Amino acid sequence: MTKISKSEEQWRAELDEFEYHVLREAGTERPFTGKLLGEDRVGVYSCRACGAELFRSATKFEAHCGWPSFYAPKESDAVDLIVDRSHGMVRTEVRCAACGSHLGHVFDDAPQTPTGDRFCMNSVSLTFEERPDGAPAP
């Protein structure tokens, strides 16, 4: 995977204030407010910051947590997992492997899925492209 490196000034110029806060400062959106929460078409979810393909709709499921949830990334190397000790707890942060942008967190509390994982993502960190066959972009 090609790594993308930009200055913080470049990121600020490309992202709006809220996107920058979530993607580059590890912020979060309020639960049940993201526009991709109810998205149910077939397609691919990509990083809003760099366009790297991250998740396929076939792995999206309703976790009732307030954020779009997936049980696995598109490819095993699409995301980086990092220990997050902020806010007085230990969690696993999920970042885009290509650009390092914050996407959300992963939890191992989804026994109803094939992996047992719940990748709880911020809608603002993702874009969605409808692809009826779920195939990679040409």
Side-chain angles (χ1 to χ4, degrees), residues 48-121:
R48 180 175 303 279
C50 73
E53 293 184 3
L54 302 171
F55 299 95
R56 292 184 191 254
S57 59
T59 66
K60 188 173 190 254
F61 70 102
E62 181 52 66
H64 306 287
C65 64
W67 293 274
S69 298
F70 305 85
Y71 62 78
K74 179 182 148 301
E75 302 291 338
S76 61
D77 63 350
V79 298
D80 290 331
L81 305 179
I82 298 154
V83 175
D84 175 2
R85 288 185 164 79
S86 66
H87 304 291
M89 63 184 101
V90 178
R91 302 180 289 176
T92 302
E93 180 185 6
V94 181
R95 291 188 190 172
C96 173
C99 71
S101 288
H102 173 76
L103 304 170
H105 291 85
V106 62
F107 305 93
D108 63 354
D109 61 0
Q112 73 276 30
T113 70
T115 63
D117 291 331
R118 173 174 55 99
F119 284 79
C120 187
M121 304 293 96

Side-chain angles (χ1 to χ4, degrees), residues 2 8 24 28 33 38 56 72 103 116 132:
T2 303
E8 291 310 305
R24 305 307 303 168
T28 191
T33 62
R56 292 184 191 254
L103 304 170

